Amino acid sequence: LNILGNSTIYGAFTNLGTVHWSNGTVTLYNLNNGAASQVWNQPGALWDVDCDQSMLVGYYPTIFKNAGELRKTASSGSTTIFVNVTNAGVITAQSGVLNFASTFYATPQSDLRIILGGATPPPAFGRIAFTSPLALAGGFSVSATNGYLPNVGDSFPVLSYPSASGDFAHLDGLDLGSGVRLNPLFGKAGLTLVAVGYQATTPPSLVVARSNHGLYLGWPDAATGWTLTTATNLTGSTWAPITVAGANNTILDAPLPEQYFRLEK
């Protein structure tokens, strides 16, 4: 389906294929019998945003339920979603800003993805913004296009929100290879990724950083076969393995006082 101008969706709309939204506003409007106007973007389906238009609310309740992929791939401006969103799939920002201006709910199976293609000017990377407090859940991942590798010190403000609770389960793709990785810096109003250099060592170095609520632990993607373990007493010999949620990284929601970590092989 190609959306080329102002469009209105009455009732339920189910996408099992691909929607290319290239121009015009999209309005979700309830039927006269009170049936909720809903978009169901099903598993395997793609809703591709190629414009800087808005998805509007004609009458409450309206909702966009994403179980496939909602992706902004073109235009450097902002696409604003005013309807409520439930995300059980993937939301990808490759260019410009995906701005969620209403309630946003993410399931543990969901993923937010950012595509990097450059730093400045203008920002050649996607950003995701939320106007309501955000409950972090699911995963977060990053990838670079066309062999792009940032310079050490480059920063990417990829997420913004008025406040955030909880945590992602994992942050994948922070190791960009060639001795460059992205350090996650969670603040009160967003997440910024900062490029830093590192040297490949054996055993690999363990990166420990503060997440939104807990602790991020990660190591280079090229270092395979290592097990993350933890202990609360360095004089003892009991080190317990930690289940890793992502690719060579995980986030602990509530680390214990005097908790230690190491990699074993």
Side-chain angles (χ1 to χ4, degrees):
L1 173 66
N2 295 313
I3 299 177
L4 304 176
N6 293 343
S7 304
T8 301
I9 296 174
Y10 296 91
F13 175 88
T14 300
N15 177 36
L16 295 168
T18 299
V19 172
H20 291 292
W21 179 14
S22 300
N23 194 22
T25 60
V26 175
T27 303
L28 273 62
Y29 205 101
N30 284 350
L31 296 173
N32 292 332
N33 62 7
S37 180
Q38 300 179 351
V39 170
W40 294 74
N41 201 44
Q42 297 289 61
L46 172 64
W47 188 288
D48 188 37
V49 181
D50 298 330
C51 62
D52 296 329
Q53 301 289 342
S54 297
M55 183 174 289
L56 305 175
V57 176
Y59 190 76
Y60 286 98
T62 57
I63 190 168
F64 189 104
K65 295 187 176 183
N66 179 51
E69 183 176 9
L70 169 62
R71 182 177 68 193
K72 182 173 172 66
T73 55
S75 297
S76 59
S78 180
T79 297
T80 302
I81 310 295
F82 287 96
V83 304
N84 297 332
V85 173
T86 296
N87 183 39
V90 178
I91 291 178
T92 303
Q94 180 173 340
S95 177
V97 182
L98 266 176
N99 180 36
F100 296 95
S102 190
T103 300
F104 184 92
Y105 172 75
T107 71
Q109 297 76 33
S110 64
D111 194 35
L112 299 182
R113 293 181 182 173
I114 299 294
I115 309 297
L116 303 182
T120 57
F125 60 93
R127 290 154 289 163
I128 303 176
F130 303 88
T131 59
S132 298
L134 176 64
L136 299 177
F140 175 88
S141 59
V142 182
S143 62
T145 60
N146 301 321
Y148 170 69
L149 192 68
N151 296 316
V152 172
D154 286 348
S155 63
F156 305 89
V158 292
L159 296 184
S160 62
Y161 38 73
S163 63
S165 59
D167 251 321
F168 293 115
H170 54 88
L171 304 173
D172 284 336
L174 300 189
D175 181 9
L176 299 178
S178 301
V180 178
R181 72 167 183 262
L182 299 169
N183 274 359
L185 298 179
F186 284 90
K188 293 182 178 179
L191 169 62
T192 298
L193 305 176
V194 179
V196 299
Y198 73 91
Q199 292 183 344
T201 60
T202 303
S205 60
L206 184 62
V207 178
V208 181
R210 183 179 66 85
S211 65
N212 181 63
H213 187 264
L215 201 64
Y216 165 84
L217 300 120
W219 59 98
D221 289 346
T224 59
W226 293 87
T227 300
L228 180 64
T229 62
T230 184
T232 55
N233 184 356
L234 288 179
T235 62
S237 59
T238 302
W239 287 79
I242 296 176
T243 300
V244 175
N248 288 17
N249 76 89
T250 196
I251 291 179
L252 298 183
D253 183 51
L256 299 173
E258 299 186 28
Q259 187 172 5
Y260 306 95
F261 307 94
R262 74 181 185 187
L263 295 170
E264 295 183 4
K265 191 172 186 179

